[in-house]
Amino acid sequence: MSNDVHEVYAVRYAHHDRHASENYLFGDPHDINQPLAYFVWVITGPSGTFVVDTGFDRAMADKRGRTIVKPVAEGLQSLGIAPDSVEDVIVTHLHYDHCGNHDLFPRARYHIQDDEVAYATGRCMCHPMIRIPFEEEDVVAMVRKVFANRVRFHEGDSQVAPGITLHRIGGHSKGLQSVRVKTKRGHVMLASDASHLYAHFQEGRVFPVTYNIGDVLEGYQTLKRLADSPAHIVPGHDPDVVKRYPAARAGLEEMVVRLDVHPRP
Ligand SMILES: [Zn+2]
Ligand SMILES: [Zn+2]
């Protein structure tokens, strides 16, 4: 195996039922339940193990009315990963569902965009409406890691290891980054919230939580440009992800799936 080809997994940890109209700016005409799934992602290969996002814990699930289906630590352990051995965590953005479980990775350095930390600690947080997807304790925990020399800042496009690059997309959150991973099936884009559902990037629609609509729409073009095909784009919250991809191993069906193999058509 060459030194830049990695395995990639989606680890589902929570669930939230919601009406379809809540998933789109300007709503949706379908009177149906269109739930969100919550994931962290794992990249393993010649450069080690990279965990992408850290999810939230049970206390946050209760506060926000979400349901934990398997705590993040257990999902990682089912892949044979001990959280306290992880050395690199990539945080796509600082919304509560991507950066909780602050103490789960005591040895890790955290990779994040300059713009995201500036956004989450700056004047925009004076506005209650913009604060909604942020948690004060999450942001403070990240600032403490800055002072503990545990944060590596990135600006725009950046390589964290051969075959793993970060790409600032913005839009949904000002410093949102997606992760491009070279795999045996080509370049996979872990979109995170650059596209919550398949429908967002496929149909050019926008999730209601948005800092800049233009950047969201441009972001879909960036995802398509950086992925080897649309089937290489993995949205951040679509429950269909665990149906399209095979279980990482027997018994993990619809919980932990492999993203470095081709999805079902
Ligand atoms: Zn988000
Ligand atoms: Zn999210």
Side-chain angles (χ1 to χ4, degrees), residues 188-205:
V188 168
M189 281 302 289
L190 299 176
S192 185
D193 290 2
S195 190
H196 283 64
L197 303 174
Y198 284 102
H200 289 113
F201 79 85
Q202 288 174 344
E203 300 169 17
R205 301 168 76 189

Side-chain angles (χ1 to χ4, degrees), residues 2 41 52 57 63 65 97 101 110 154 176 226 230-231 255 262:
S2 64
W41 300 270
V52 180
D57 61 12
K63 179 179 178 183
D97 51 323
N101 292 307
Y110 285 66
H154 298 265
L176 169 69
L226 293 172
M255 290 303 305
H262 290 289

Side-chain angles (χ1 to χ4, degrees), residues 3 9 31 37 39 47 76 78 85 90-91 100-102 116 122 135 137 155 160 172 199-200 202 222 258-259 261:
N3 74 341
Y9 302 89
D31 185 20
F39 300 97
S47 299
L76 295 175
S78 73
S85 71
I90 296 165
V91 175
N101 292 307
H102 313 137
E116 187 64 4
E135 286 285 339
E137 292 308 320
E155 183 181 14
V160 291
H172 164 72
H200 289 113
Q202 288 174 344
T222 302
R258 276 194 87 139
L259 302 173
V261 298

Side-chain angles (χ1 to χ4, degrees), residues 11-228:
V11 179
R12 187 166 74 95
Y13 72 91
H15 177 89
H16 180 51
D17 285 317
R18 55 204 271 145
H19 196 263
S21 64
E22 294 178 80
N23 290 329
Y24 304 99
L25 196 62
F26 310 127
D28 185 273
H30 301 96
D31 185 20
I32 55 169
N33 179 38
Q34 191 174 62
L36 296 183
Y38 294 81
F39 300 97
V40 301
W41 300 270
V42 172
I43 303 165
T44 64
S47 299
T49 296
F50 297 77
V51 173
V52 180
D53 290 343
T54 59
F56 53 73
D57 61 12
R58 265 192 214 287
M60 187 56 61
D62 291 344
K63 179 179 178 183
R64 295 264 182 173
R66 272 58 173 162
T67 305
I68 298 280
V69 294
K70 188 194 275 269
V72 169
E74 288 180 28
L76 295 175
Q77 282 155 1
S78 73
L79 280 172
I81 296 167
D84 60 6
S85 71
V86 171
E87 296 188 352
D88 288 281
V89 169
I90 296 165
V91 175
T92 63
H93 62 306
L94 287 170
H95 288 170
Y96 79 95
D97 51 323
H98 297 262
C99 67
N101 292 307
H102 313 137
D103 301 319
L104 192 55
F105 304 99
R107 292 187 56 198
R109 78 182 73 89
Y110 285 66
H111 300 266
I112 193 164
Q113 290 279 327
D114 285 317
D115 276 352
E116 187 64 4
V117 176
Y119 177 52
T121 55
R123 64 193 298 153
C124 280
M125 294 304 119
C126 298
H127 302 292
M129 190 181 150
I130 296 182
R131 282 203 303 267
I132 288 172
F134 292 91
E135 286 285 339
E136 179 182 343
E137 292 308 320
D138 290 343
V139 176
V140 170
M142 187 59 68
V143 171
R144 291 198 201 288
K145 289 184 175 74
V146 172
F147 278 77
N149 278 332
R150 295 183 57 203
V151 176
R152 184 157 302 169
F153 284 92
H154 298 265
E155 183 181 14
D157 296 347
S158 184
Q159 178 174 287
V160 291
I164 305 173
T165 50
L166 309 177
H167 301 271
R168 193 186 70 78
I169 300 255
H172 164 72
S173 191
K174 190 173 182 184
L176 169 69
Q177 59 185 352
S178 298
V179 185
R180 185 180 196 233
V181 188
K182 187 175 178 183
T183 73
K184 64 186 180 186
R185 74 164 169 129
H187 288 97
V188 168
M189 281 302 289
L190 299 176
S192 185
D193 290 2
S195 190
H196 283 64
L197 303 174
Y198 284 102
H200 289 113
F201 79 85
Q202 288 174 344
E203 300 169 17
R205 301 168 76 189
V206 177
F207 193 77
V209 175
T210 301
Y211 173 75
N212 182 311
I213 294 172
D215 286 352
V216 171
L217 296 170
E218 287 294 315
Y220 300 151
Q221 303 304 318
T222 302
L223 293 176
K224 291 172 185 170
R225 177 170 53 80
L226 293 172
D228 276 20

